[in-house]
Amino acid sequence: MSYMLLIHEPVGQRQSRTLAEGRAAYDRMLRFADELKSRGVLRAVESLASQDDRAARVQVREGRAQVVDGPFAEAKEMIGGFFLVDVSSREEALALARECPAAEWAMVEVREIAPCYT
């Protein structure tokens, strides 16, 4: 079964860290990814850029596209990255989320991969 571990970070948290603190947190996440890879459960992993003026939202209504550029002041959190894992159960995915270093400074949401109509 595939699960997405989504990292929800408070907006502005990254900017509140020193460069050394940010690199240390990132290095911990890289080591976690390496560990998941060595266990054979990691399918994909990415860190996402901060939710700033490079971000945009797109929606199409009645054939018309609307693009809204960031930053998005109403947001209290942002998706900071994800791990896509292939494990045998929800319990195993939850165990991985508990091991994830980001769980110490953010929230790790565990979602099963499934068709959007279910």
Side-chain angles (χ1 to χ4, degrees):
M1 301 169 135
S2 293
Y3 288 86
M4 182 75 69
L5 309 181
L6 294 167
I7 312 301
H8 293 262
E9 296 180 41
V11 171
Q13 176 176 256
R14 291 180 184 184
Q15 292 76 17
S16 70
R17 296 178 180 137
T18 66
L19 182 59
E21 291 168 334
R23 287 182 188 264
Y26 187 67
D27 287 344
R28 287 184 67 199
M29 296 298 283
L30 291 176
R31 286 192 301 274
F32 179 64
D34 287 342
E35 173 62 25
L36 295 179
K37 189 175 183 180
S38 72
R39 293 185 203 177
V41 299
L42 185 63
R43 292 182 56 195
V45 60
E46 289 295 338
S47 175
L48 301 175
S50 292
Q51 186 171 306
D52 58 14
D53 61 352
R54 296 170 289 176
R57 294 179 180 174
V58 177
Q59 67 179 21
V60 178
R61 299 294 183 267
E62 297 177 5
R64 296 179 56 122
Q66 180 182 13
V67 178
V68 179
D69 291 331
F72 308 108
E74 73 276 7
K76 292 186 168 74
E77 60 184 28
M78 65 174 210
I79 303 295
F82 69 88
F83 292 87
L84 178 59
V85 296
D86 190 17
V87 293
S88 60
S89 67
R90 178 178 181 267
E91 291 71 27
E92 190 175 349
L94 291 171
L96 294 178
R98 284 191 293 273
E99 292 177 35
C100 181
E104 296 174 19
W105 62 79
M107 181 193 60
V108 180
E109 178 182 353
V110 177
R111 302 272 299 272
E112 185 175 358
I113 303 300
C116 62
Y117 56 83
T118 60

